[in-house]
Amino acid sequence: MVKVQEIPLHQIQRPLPRQNDPDKVQALMESIAAIGQQEPIDILEVDGRYYGFSGCHRYEACQRLGKETILARVRKAPKSVLKMHIA
């Protein structure tokens, strides 16, 4: 089951490193500041913890804007699914 909700940024773990395009982050910052976040990021919830693997540019844009939360599609998953994403 997937649920869209606001998740505190500090609760999201991002286990895989990613290089973000600074121009894309800047454009998203301007857009989010003007009209809000339009597209949720995808989050896995495993044992009550949140893991993010996509939406890296939106995540960074919200962080830089000082947002406390981010709109996310949250899907509960077992540890086996998390391991597949990290492997």
Side-chain angles (χ1 to χ4, degrees):
M1 180 173 128
V2 177
K3 186 170 149 183
V4 176
Q5 61 191 75
E6 293 281 338
I7 301 293
L9 282 167
H10 73 275
Q11 290 184 8
I12 300 171
Q13 297 179 48
R14 303 201 59 91
L16 300 177
R18 170 113 191 235
Q19 290 286 1
N20 287 338
D21 177 343
D23 293 333
K24 186 173 181 179
V25 172
Q26 183 62 41
L28 281 166
M29 288 174 64
E30 293 168 10
S31 173
I32 291 169
I35 62 173
Q37 182 187 346
Q38 299 299 298
E39 181 65 27
I41 65 169
D42 294 309
I43 296 289
L44 283 180
E45 181 183 354
V46 179
D47 295 335
R49 293 187 174 183
Y50 300 111
Y51 298 88
F53 296 95
S54 66
C56 297
H57 290 89
R58 286 169 281 167
Y59 179 86
E60 186 174 335
C62 286
Q63 271 191 321
R64 288 189 185 183
L65 287 168
K67 302 278 186 187
E68 292 187 18
T69 63
I70 190 166
L71 188 62
R73 278 184 294 269
V74 179
R75 180 172 58 102
K76 288 191 178 201
K79 286 182 182 177
S80 60
V81 171
L82 176 61
K83 287 178 184 176
M84 287 188 325
H85 277 82
I86 294 174

